[in-house]
mmCIF file of all heavy atoms in Angstrom:
data_model
loop_
_atom_site.group_PDB
_atom_site.id
_atom_site.type_symbol
_atom_site.label_atom_id
_atom_site.label_comp_id
_atom_site.label_asym_id
_atom_site.label_seq_id
_atom_site.Cartn_x
_atom_site.Cartn_y
_atom_site.Cartn_z
ATOM 1 N N ARG A 731 4.868 -3.000 7.689
ATOM 2 C CA ARG A 731 5.109 -3.844 6.511
ATOM 3 C C ARG A 731 4.221 -5.064 6.461
ATOM 4 O O ARG A 731 3.607 -5.316 5.408
ATOM 5 C CB ARG A 731 6.590 -4.286 6.522
ATOM 6 C CG ARG A 731 7.002 -5.136 5.307
ATOM 7 C CD ARG A 731 8.385 -5.785 5.576
ATOM 8 N NE ARG A 731 8.344 -6.636 6.715
ATOM 9 C CZ ARG A 731 9.353 -6.841 7.563
ATOM 10 N NH1 ARG A 731 10.477 -6.210 7.366
ATOM 11 N NH2 ARG A 731 9.218 -7.660 8.575
ATOM 12 N N ASP A 732 4.120 -5.756 7.562
ATOM 13 C CA ASP A 732 3.366 -7.007 7.564
ATOM 14 C C ASP A 732 1.874 -6.836 7.518
ATOM 15 O O ASP A 732 1.129 -7.668 6.900
ATOM 16 C CB ASP A 732 3.820 -7.863 8.768
ATOM 17 C CG ASP A 732 5.263 -8.203 8.751
ATOM 18 O OD1 ASP A 732 5.890 -8.119 7.676
ATOM 19 O OD2 ASP A 732 5.795 -8.541 9.848
ATOM 20 N N ARG A 733 1.368 -5.826 8.226
ATOM 21 C CA ARG A 733 -0.083 -5.625 8.317
ATOM 22 C C ARG A 733 -0.663 -4.677 7.301
ATOM 23 O O ARG A 733 -1.818 -4.792 6.900
ATOM 24 C CB ARG A 733 -0.453 -5.159 9.721
ATOM 25 C CG ARG A 733 -0.141 -6.225 10.804
ATOM 26 C CD ARG A 733 -1.141 -7.351 10.800
ATOM 27 N NE ARG A 733 -2.479 -6.881 11.043
ATOM 28 C CZ ARG A 733 -2.973 -6.664 12.270
ATOM 29 N NH1 ARG A 733 -2.208 -6.866 13.364
ATOM 30 N NH2 ARG A 733 -4.258 -6.249 12.422
ATOM 31 N N LEU A 734 0.159 -3.693 6.925
ATOM 32 C CA LEU A 734 -0.332 -2.645 6.013
ATOM 33 C C LEU A 734 0.278 -2.697 4.654
ATOM 34 O O LEU A 734 -0.149 -2.011 3.733
ATOM 35 C CB LEU A 734 -0.067 -1.223 6.574
ATOM 36 C CG LEU A 734 -0.587 -0.961 8.016
ATOM 37 C CD1 LEU A 734 -0.240 0.457 8.430
ATOM 38 C CD2 LEU A 734 -2.102 -1.209 8.101
ATOM 39 N N GLY A 735 1.304 -3.503 4.455
ATOM 40 C CA GLY A 735 1.989 -3.607 3.178
ATOM 41 C C GLY A 735 2.773 -2.327 2.862
ATOM 42 O O GLY A 735 3.067 -2.046 1.700
ATOM 43 N N TRP A 736 3.164 -1.594 3.873
ATOM 44 C CA TRP A 736 3.910 -0.340 3.682
ATOM 45 C C TRP A 736 5.372 -0.502 4.010
ATOM 46 O O TRP A 736 5.727 -1.198 5.025
ATOM 47 C CB TRP A 736 3.344 0.780 4.547
ATOM 48 C CG TRP A 736 4.160 2.065 4.366
ATOM 49 C CD1 TRP A 736 3.958 3.001 3.437
ATOM 50 C CD2 TRP A 736 5.288 2.493 5.135
ATOM 51 N NE1 TRP A 736 4.919 3.992 3.543
ATOM 52 C CE2 TRP A 736 5.728 3.716 4.596
ATOM 53 C CE3 TRP A 736 5.972 1.935 6.247
ATOM 54 C CZ2 TRP A 736 6.834 4.394 5.100
ATOM 55 C CZ3 TRP A 736 7.063 2.613 6.747
ATOM 56 C CH2 TRP A 736 7.493 3.833 6.156
ATOM 57 N N GLN A 737 6.251 0.146 3.244
ATOM 58 C CA GLN A 737 7.667 0.230 3.595
ATOM 59 C C GLN A 737 8.229 1.460 2.964
ATOM 60 O O GLN A 737 7.757 1.975 1.979
ATOM 61 C CB GLN A 737 8.394 -1.006 3.166
ATOM 62 C CG GLN A 737 8.389 -1.290 1.686
ATOM 63 C CD GLN A 737 9.105 -2.593 1.317
ATOM 64 O OE1 GLN A 737 9.736 -3.201 2.178
ATOM 65 N NE2 GLN A 737 9.018 -2.988 0.063
ATOM 66 N N ALA A 738 9.282 1.988 3.584
ATOM 67 C CA ALA A 738 9.988 3.134 3.034
ATOM 68 C C ALA A 738 10.498 2.854 1.615
ATOM 69 O O ALA A 738 10.999 1.740 1.341
ATOM 70 C CB ALA A 738 11.122 3.550 3.981
ATOM 71 N N ARG A 739 10.422 3.832 0.788
ATOM 72 C CA ARG A 739 10.907 3.691 -0.605
ATOM 73 C C ARG A 739 12.312 4.224 -0.822
ATOM 74 O O ARG A 739 12.977 3.834 -1.752
ATOM 75 C CB ARG A 739 9.964 4.383 -1.567
ATOM 76 C CG ARG A 739 8.509 3.937 -1.510
ATOM 77 C CD ARG A 739 7.706 4.582 -2.604
ATOM 78 N NE ARG A 739 6.259 4.371 -2.370
ATOM 79 C CZ ARG A 739 5.334 4.679 -3.225
ATOM 80 N NH1 ARG A 739 5.675 5.230 -4.441
ATOM 81 N NH2 ARG A 739 4.062 4.481 -2.981
ATOM 82 N N LEU A 740 12.738 5.173 0.017
ATOM 83 C CA LEU A 740 14.044 5.794 -0.153
ATOM 84 C C LEU A 740 15.001 5.349 0.944
ATOM 85 O O LEU A 740 14.596 5.350 2.095
ATOM 86 C CB LEU A 740 13.911 7.344 -0.099
ATOM 87 C CG LEU A 740 12.935 8.016 -1.089
ATOM 88 C CD1 LEU A 740 12.923 9.493 -0.841
ATOM 89 C CD2 LEU A 740 13.304 7.662 -2.529
ATOM 90 N N ASN A 741 16.212 4.978 0.554
ATOM 91 C CA ASN A 741 17.196 4.717 1.601
ATOM 92 C C ASN A 741 17.798 6.028 2.074
ATOM 93 O O ASN A 741 17.459 7.106 1.559
ATOM 94 C CB ASN A 741 18.258 3.707 1.110
ATOM 95 C CG ASN A 741 19.050 4.248 -0.124
ATOM 96 O OD1 ASN A 741 19.331 5.464 -0.181
ATOM 97 N ND2 ASN A 741 19.414 3.372 -1.000
ATOM 98 N N SER A 742 18.647 5.977 3.063
ATOM 99 C CA SER A 742 19.177 7.189 3.644
ATOM 100 C C SER A 742 20.029 8.019 2.652
ATOM 101 O O SER A 742 19.980 9.242 2.670
ATOM 102 C CB SER A 742 19.970 6.888 4.909
ATOM 103 O OG SER A 742 21.036 5.989 4.647
ATOM 104 N N ASP A 743 20.759 7.332 1.778
ATOM 105 C CA ASP A 743 21.530 8.074 0.740
ATOM 106 C C ASP A 743 20.619 8.854 -0.156
ATOM 107 O O ASP A 743 20.887 10.009 -0.498
ATOM 108 C CB ASP A 743 22.386 7.106 -0.074
ATOM 109 C CG ASP A 743 23.584 6.586 0.734
ATOM 110 O OD1 ASP A 743 24.090 7.327 1.584
ATOM 111 O OD2 ASP A 743 24.060 5.482 0.457
ATOM 112 N N GLN A 744 19.494 8.215 -0.617
ATOM 113 C CA GLN A 744 18.561 8.898 -1.450
ATOM 114 C C GLN A 744 17.892 10.044 -0.720
ATOM 115 O O GLN A 744 17.704 11.126 -1.245
ATOM 116 C CB GLN A 744 17.492 7.899 -1.974
ATOM 117 C CG GLN A 744 18.030 6.881 -2.954
ATOM 118 C CD GLN A 744 16.946 5.811 -3.206
ATOM 119 O OE1 GLN A 744 16.442 5.173 -2.300
ATOM 120 N NE2 GLN A 744 16.651 5.624 -4.513
ATOM 121 N N ALA A 745 17.525 9.828 0.542
ATOM 122 C CA ALA A 745 16.858 10.870 1.339
ATOM 123 C C ALA A 745 17.788 12.072 1.448
ATOM 124 O O ALA A 745 17.321 13.221 1.351
ATOM 125 C CB ALA A 745 16.509 10.321 2.704
ATOM 126 N N ILE A 746 19.066 11.830 1.679
ATOM 127 C CA ILE A 746 20.018 12.962 1.772
ATOM 128 C C ILE A 746 20.172 13.660 0.466
ATOM 129 O O ILE A 746 20.166 14.907 0.410
ATOM 130 C CB ILE A 746 21.367 12.389 2.282
ATOM 131 C CG1 ILE A 746 21.254 11.993 3.766
ATOM 132 C CG2 ILE A 746 22.483 13.429 2.106
ATOM 133 C CD1 ILE A 746 22.402 11.182 4.272
ATOM 134 N N ARG A 747 20.238 12.922 -0.650
ATOM 135 C CA ARG A 747 20.390 13.584 -1.954
ATOM 136 C C ARG A 747 19.164 14.406 -2.321
ATOM 137 O O ARG A 747 19.265 15.566 -2.793
ATOM 138 C CB ARG A 747 20.656 12.504 -3.021
ATOM 139 C CG ARG A 747 20.945 13.129 -4.415
ATOM 140 C CD ARG A 747 21.441 12.073 -5.390
ATOM 141 N NE ARG A 747 20.386 11.123 -5.725
ATOM 142 C CZ ARG A 747 20.364 9.864 -5.330
ATOM 143 N NH1 ARG A 747 21.350 9.380 -4.564
ATOM 144 N NH2 ARG A 747 19.392 9.039 -5.700
ATOM 145 N N TRP A 748 17.984 13.888 -2.071
ATOM 146 C CA TRP A 748 16.757 14.616 -2.344
ATOM 147 C C TRP A 748 16.659 15.863 -1.486
ATOM 148 O O TRP A 748 16.193 16.915 -1.963
ATOM 149 C CB TRP A 748 15.524 13.718 -2.114
ATOM 150 C CG TRP A 748 15.280 12.686 -3.151
ATOM 151 C CD1 TRP A 748 16.207 11.982 -3.878
ATOM 152 C CD2 TRP A 748 13.987 12.216 -3.620
ATOM 153 N NE1 TRP A 748 15.590 11.088 -4.723
ATOM 154 C CE2 TRP A 748 14.260 11.233 -4.578
ATOM 155 C CE3 TRP A 748 12.696 12.535 -3.279
ATOM 156 C CZ2 TRP A 748 13.218 10.575 -5.227
ATOM 157 C CZ3 TRP A 748 11.639 11.855 -3.907
ATOM 158 C CH2 TRP A 748 11.910 10.898 -4.890
ATOM 159 N N THR A 749 17.082 15.743 -0.233
ATOM 160 C CA THR A 749 17.058 16.913 0.652
ATOM 161 C C THR A 749 17.996 18.027 0.159
ATOM 162 O O THR A 749 17.656 19.162 0.052
ATOM 163 C CB THR A 749 17.515 16.492 2.069
ATOM 164 O OG1 THR A 749 16.548 15.511 2.525
ATOM 165 C CG2 THR A 749 17.484 17.656 3.000
ATOM 166 N N ALA A 750 19.203 17.579 -0.227
ATOM 167 C CA ALA A 750 20.199 18.547 -0.784
ATOM 168 C C ALA A 750 19.687 19.194 -2.065
ATOM 169 O O ALA A 750 19.890 20.417 -2.260
ATOM 170 C CB ALA A 750 21.540 17.835 -0.988
ATOM 171 N N ASP A 751 19.022 18.408 -2.908
ATOM 172 C CA ASP A 751 18.532 18.977 -4.175
ATOM 173 C C ASP A 751 17.494 20.036 -3.921
ATOM 174 O O ASP A 751 17.443 21.078 -4.621
ATOM 175 C CB ASP A 751 17.841 17.864 -5.014
ATOM 176 C CG ASP A 751 18.869 16.904 -5.613
ATOM 177 O OD1 ASP A 751 20.085 17.236 -5.629
ATOM 178 O OD2 ASP A 751 18.487 15.845 -6.090
ATOM 179 N N TRP A 752 16.611 19.875 -2.910
ATOM 180 C CA TRP A 752 15.570 20.837 -2.595
ATOM 181 C C TRP A 752 16.253 22.157 -2.134
ATOM 182 O O TRP A 752 15.897 23.244 -2.615
ATOM 183 C CB TRP A 752 14.659 20.297 -1.515
ATOM 184 C CG TRP A 752 13.361 21.099 -1.365
ATOM 185 C CD1 TRP A 752 12.134 20.752 -1.849
ATOM 186 C CD2 TRP A 752 13.196 22.302 -0.658
ATOM 187 N NE1 TRP A 752 11.227 21.704 -1.503
ATOM 188 C CE2 TRP A 752 11.806 22.677 -0.764
ATOM 189 C CE3 TRP A 752 14.023 23.162 0.114
ATOM 190 C CZ2 TRP A 752 11.274 23.827 -0.201
ATOM 191 C CZ3 TRP A 752 13.516 24.287 0.672
ATOM 192 C CH2 TRP A 752 12.156 24.627 0.535
ATOM 193 N N TYR A 753 17.206 22.053 -1.208
ATOM 194 C CA TYR A 753 17.876 23.241 -0.707
ATOM 195 C C TYR A 753 18.687 23.945 -1.781
ATOM 196 O O TYR A 753 18.799 25.205 -1.824
ATOM 197 C CB TYR A 753 18.763 22.937 0.492
ATOM 198 C CG TYR A 753 17.991 22.715 1.785
ATOM 199 C CD1 TYR A 753 17.850 21.434 2.281
ATOM 200 C CD2 TYR A 753 17.380 23.758 2.443
ATOM 201 C CE1 TYR A 753 17.157 21.203 3.479
ATOM 202 C CE2 TYR A 753 16.673 23.528 3.608
ATOM 203 C CZ TYR A 753 16.529 22.274 4.122
ATOM 204 O OH TYR A 753 15.833 22.042 5.248
ATOM 205 N N ALA A 754 19.277 23.200 -2.708
ATOM 206 C CA ALA A 754 20.034 23.779 -3.798
ATOM 207 C C ALA A 754 19.074 24.575 -4.701
ATOM 208 O O ALA A 754 19.405 25.677 -5.160
ATOM 209 C CB ALA A 754 20.741 22.723 -4.615
ATOM 210 N N ALA A 755 17.904 24.048 -4.981
ATOM 211 C CA ALA A 755 16.921 24.753 -5.788
ATOM 212 C C ALA A 755 16.494 26.056 -5.091
ATOM 213 O O ALA A 755 16.366 27.097 -5.708
ATOM 214 C CB ALA A 755 15.706 23.859 -6.060
ATOM 215 N N TRP A 756 16.258 25.944 -3.782
ATOM 216 C CA TRP A 756 15.877 27.133 -3.013
ATOM 217 C C TRP A 756 16.965 28.220 -3.067
ATOM 218 O O TRP A 756 16.688 29.391 -3.250
ATOM 219 C CB TRP A 756 15.530 26.757 -1.587
ATOM 220 C CG TRP A 756 15.462 27.878 -0.615
ATOM 221 C CD1 TRP A 756 14.487 28.841 -0.587
ATOM 222 C CD2 TRP A 756 16.355 28.205 0.431
ATOM 223 N NE1 TRP A 756 14.725 29.722 0.393
ATOM 224 C CE2 TRP A 756 15.891 29.297 1.046
ATOM 225 C CE3 TRP A 756 17.548 27.612 0.905
ATOM 226 C CZ2 TRP A 756 16.547 29.939 2.142
ATOM 227 C CZ3 TRP A 756 18.168 28.163 1.975
ATOM 228 C CH2 TRP A 756 17.698 29.305 2.580
ATOM 229 N N ALA A 757 18.234 27.815 -2.882
ATOM 230 C CA ALA A 757 19.336 28.744 -2.931
ATOM 231 C C ALA A 757 19.446 29.424 -4.273
ATOM 232 O O ALA A 757 19.920 30.560 -4.356
ATOM 233 C CB ALA A 757 20.633 27.999 -2.572
ATOM 234 N N ASN A 758 18.993 28.771 -5.341
ATOM 235 C CA ASN A 758 19.028 29.302 -6.677
ATOM 236 C C ASN A 758 17.748 29.976 -7.071
ATOM 237 O O ASN A 758 17.516 30.268 -8.228
ATOM 238 C CB ASN A 758 19.364 28.176 -7.678
ATOM 239 C CG ASN A 758 20.791 27.713 -7.568
ATOM 240 O OD1 ASN A 758 21.694 28.532 -7.384
ATOM 241 N ND2 ASN A 758 20.952 26.382 -7.718
ATOM 242 N N HIS A 759 16.877 30.288 -6.052
ATOM 243 C CA HIS A 759 15.682 31.059 -6.244
ATOM 244 C C HIS A 759 14.699 30.385 -7.226
ATOM 245 O O HIS A 759 13.984 31.057 -7.995
ATOM 246 C CB HIS A 759 15.994 32.465 -6.729
ATOM 247 C CG HIS A 759 17.006 33.142 -5.879
ATOM 248 N ND1 HIS A 759 16.757 33.616 -4.611
ATOM 249 C CD2 HIS A 759 18.321 33.480 -6.121
ATOM 250 C CE1 HIS A 759 17.834 34.164 -4.098
ATOM 251 N NE2 HIS A 759 18.807 34.081 -5.001
ATOM 252 N N ALA A 760 14.593 29.085 -7.164
ATOM 253 C CA ALA A 760 13.668 28.327 -7.996
ATOM 254 C C ALA A 760 12.228 28.491 -7.452
ATOM 255 O O ALA A 760 12.035 28.931 -6.297
ATOM 256 C CB ALA A 760 14.043 26.845 -8.098
ATOM 257 N N ASP A 761 11.267 28.119 -8.285
ATOM 258 C CA ASP A 761 9.869 28.025 -7.839
ATOM 259 C C ASP A 761 9.788 26.821 -6.912
ATOM 260 O O ASP A 761 9.792 25.678 -7.402
ATOM 261 C CB ASP A 761 8.943 27.954 -9.020
ATOM 262 C CG ASP A 761 7.483 27.910 -8.643
ATOM 263 O OD1 ASP A 761 7.129 27.315 -7.604
ATOM 264 O OD2 ASP A 761 6.640 28.391 -9.437
ATOM 265 N N MET A 762 9.580 27.021 -5.625
ATOM 266 C CA MET A 762 9.667 25.908 -4.688
ATOM 267 C C MET A 762 8.371 25.063 -4.660
ATOM 268 O O MET A 762 8.425 23.916 -4.268
ATOM 269 C CB MET A 762 10.032 26.406 -3.310
ATOM 270 C CG MET A 762 11.448 27.000 -3.231
ATOM 271 S SD MET A 762 12.708 26.054 -4.190
ATOM 272 C CE MET A 762 12.721 24.482 -3.298
#
Side-chain angles (χ1 to χ4, degrees):
R731 181 192 61 213
D732 298 341
R733 295 287 298 278
L734 306 180
W736 178 86
Q737 58 184 354
R739 302 187 192 189
L740 305 178
N741 61 36
S742 56
D743 286 329
Q744 291 171 306
I746 289 167
R747 186 170 67 251
W748 285 35
T749 301
D751 288 346
W752 195 100
Y753 283 109
W756 167 69
N758 289 321
H759 308 290
D761 181 326
M762 296 317 297

